[in-house]
Amino acid sequence: IQPTGTLLNSWKVVWVVLADDAIEFYKKKTDNSPKGMIPLKDAKLTSPCQDFTKRTLVFKVSTAKNQDHFFQASHLEEREVWVKDIKRALTCLQGGKKFARKSTLIKLPVYLYVLMKDQDSGVKELKVEKDKRLFNHCFTGNNVIDWLISEGKARNRAEGLMLATGLLNEGFLLPAGDVSKDGAEKGAECVFLDQIEALYYFADSGFFCEGYSSDEDVIMKEEFRGAIVKQGCLLKQGHRRKNWKVRKFILRDDPAYIHYYDATKGEDDPLGSIHLRGSVVTAVEYVPDSKRQEVDGNLFEIITSDEVHYYLQAATADERKDWIKAIQSVAKMGK
C-alpha cells in the first residue's frame, strides 16, 4: 500500500480485509489488529490506475479527505474481484445499506486459526505414515472437526465442515496427501474432508513429507514435489552484502516455490528457496542500495507474503517478461 503524501514510495505486501465500511490491512494474516484502516464513506475507486507506468494491476482508492491509497494485485483475476467487491461496498454505503461479501474472507475470524495452532490447546500436529510416506507436522480432517466441536466453535460436524472449508479456501489450512488434495482440487469447489484418511497442515508450519523405499531412505521436502515450470540463470542481489551473482533458478508449481543454486555446482543442495504463494512480482527500473554501474536493465522484483524483497536481473527484456509471467502464474495457482 502506498499512501499519497508519504516520503517513502515503498510497496509492501499486506493482508487486506474488506469490511462493510472500510478497508483494513494487516501486516500478517494471523494478526489480531490491523495496521491501518481506509474509510470507504464517500471514497472513489479508480481501476485500472495509470499513475505508475512500470507497475501493472494497480487500482486506487481515494478517500473523502483526498488521500490516495494504491493497491497492486498479484494477477488480473484478483484485481477484478477486489474492484468488483469494493464497488459494491461503495454502492451499499451510498444507499445506506450494509455490504456483506458472500465469502469466508470476512466471516472467518483470524483468531480461530491462532487458537487452532496453540501448542497446548490447539489441534495436535502428528507424524502419520501412509502409502510408504511419512507426513510430519500434519493432522487428519476428522481431528479438525472434533476440535472445532470440543472448543465450542461449531455446534455439529456440518457446521465444523463449513468453518474448516473456509480455512482451507483462505489458505490457512493446506492439503497433504492424495485424499485431501483430491477434495481440494478436483471438484468445482474446494472441499474439506471430515475423514481420518484426509491429511492437512498449517500454512506456516514445518510440514514436510518423507518418502522411502526398501533400498534406502529418501528425504523429499514438500516444496520440491511440484513439477518444474521454468529454469535458467539470473543475476540475484544478495541480502547482506548487496552484491550480484549468477544463480540458477528452478521454478516449481503446487507448491509454488522457486529455488536458486550455485550455477557452477549441481542441483542437490539449493542455496535458498522463495515461497511464491501470495507474492507479487513486477518489473523495476532500479534497485535500492545498488550502484547504477553495477547492474542496469531487465530488472524485476519478487515481494513475498512475508515482505521479503528479492531483486533479479534477466539477460534480455523478453526473458524478464517470460520469468515474470511464469512466476505470476505459479503464485496464483500454486499452494
Side-chain angles (χ1 to χ4, degrees):
I1 295 173
Q2 181 186 347
T4 296
T6 56
L7 296 176
L8 296 176
N9 290 330
S10 59
W11 292 78
K12 291 186 177 181
V13 176
V14 292
W15 178 250
V16 181
V17 173
L18 175 59
D20 54 1
D21 61 353
I23 297 175
E24 300 172 347
F25 52 96
Y26 300 74
K27 187 174 181 180
K28 294 183 297 182
K29 181 188 288 189
T30 52
D31 287 352
N32 291 320
S33 57
K35 284 179 61 179
M37 183 187 71
I38 303 168
L40 289 178
K41 184 174 176 57
D42 298 324
K44 295 181 180 179
L45 176 66
T46 304
S47 178
C49 174
Q50 306 296 339
D51 292 36
F52 302 90
T53 57
K54 301 300 181 181
R55 286 186 179 269
T56 59
L57 307 175
V58 175
F59 61 92
K60 177 173 68 174
V61 177
S62 304
T63 67
K65 294 183 178 181
N66 295 321
Q67 290 181 323
D68 292 338
H69 301 269
F70 300 92
F71 298 85
Q72 182 183 24
S74 60
H75 54 275
L76 180 62
E77 290 83 357
E78 182 183 48
R79 185 185 69 179
E80 295 310 307
V81 168
W82 275 103
V83 167
K84 180 181 177 182
D85 282 342
I86 292 172
K87 282 182 178 178
R88 286 183 55 220
L90 293 173
T91 302
C92 288
L93 280 173
Q94 291 171 0
K97 299 177 182 179
K98 191 170 184 179
F99 167 75
R101 180 171 183 252
K102 294 180 179 179
S103 166
T104 55
L105 182 64
I106 307 303
K107 296 177 182 177
L108 267 179
V110 176
Y111 77 85
L112 181 59
Y113 178 69
V114 177
L115 291 175
M116 290 181 73
K117 285 201 66 183
D118 187 278
Q119 292 187 348
D120 296 322
S121 58
V123 176
K124 303 303 179 187
E125 293 181 293
L126 308 170
K127 192 178 285 188
V128 179
E129 186 175 354
K130 187 176 179 60
D131 299 329
K132 292 187 177 181
R133 287 185 292 174
L134 189 63
F135 295 88
N136 296 267
H137 299 284
C138 69
F139 38 84
T140 64
N142 66 318
N143 279 349
V144 172
I145 307 302
D146 289 343
W147 182 87
L148 288 169
I149 294 173
S150 66
E151 294 294 316
K153 309 304 177 187
R155 291 170 294 180
N156 50 52
R157 303 196 80 81
E159 194 172 287
L161 266 176
M162 289 178 60
L163 284 173
T165 298
L167 289 167
L168 184 67
N169 278 318
E170 297 302 335
F172 288 100
L173 304 181
L174 297 174
D178 297 335
V179 175
S180 57
K181 285 176 183 175
D182 284 349
E185 299 167 6
K186 285 198 171 181
E189 296 181 358
C190 182
V191 178
F192 188 93
L193 302 178
D194 181 11
Q195 299 176 14
I196 194 170
E197 296 85 5
L199 302 178
Y200 299 90
Y201 63 98
F202 294 122
D204 53 356
S205 73
F207 170 80
F208 68 96
C209 171
E210 300 173 50
Y212 55 88
S213 66
S214 57
D215 299 318
E216 59 180 348
D217 289 346
V218 180
I219 304 299
M220 182 191 72
K221 285 199 173 182
E222 181 74 4
E223 63 190 59
F224 291 99
R225 178 178 56 79
I228 294 177
V229 174
K230 185 175 176 61
Q231 55 183 312
C233 290
L234 298 166
L235 270 175
K236 175 185 174 294
Q237 186 191 51
H239 278 108
R240 294 182 181 177
R241 298 183 181 179
K242 305 299 181 183
N243 55 339
W244 292 81
K245 290 185 178 181
V246 176
R247 299 298 185 208
K248 180 174 182 179
F249 285 79
I250 297 180
L251 175 65
R252 294 180 171 88
D253 64 357
D254 193 25
Y257 275 91
I258 188 168
H259 298 86
Y260 52 93
Y261 305 77
D262 186 330
T264 63
K265 299 180 181 178
E267 300 171 6
D268 295 330
D269 190 17
L271 297 173
S273 65
I274 307 171
H275 191 191
L276 296 173
R277 179 179 170 85
S279 66
V280 174
V281 57
T282 187
V284 295
E285 294 305 307
Y286 71 96
V287 173
D289 303 322
S290 181
K291 297 177 182 178
R292 284 277 181 177
Q293 61 268 28
E294 287 182 344
V295 61
D296 190 26
N298 306 319
L299 298 165
F300 63 98
E301 174 188 21
I302 299 173
I303 309 176
T304 70
S305 59
D306 296 326
E307 295 188 34
V308 181
H309 294 242
Y310 294 87
Y311 294 101
L312 307 169
Q313 184 189 37
T316 66
D318 285 342
E319 187 180 338
R320 174 176 72 171
K321 184 178 179 181
D322 290 344
W323 272 106
I324 290 175
K325 184 177 179 181
I327 293 171
Q328 285 178 336
S329 177
V330 166
K332 169 188 170 185
M333 301 300 295
K335 298 286 191 296

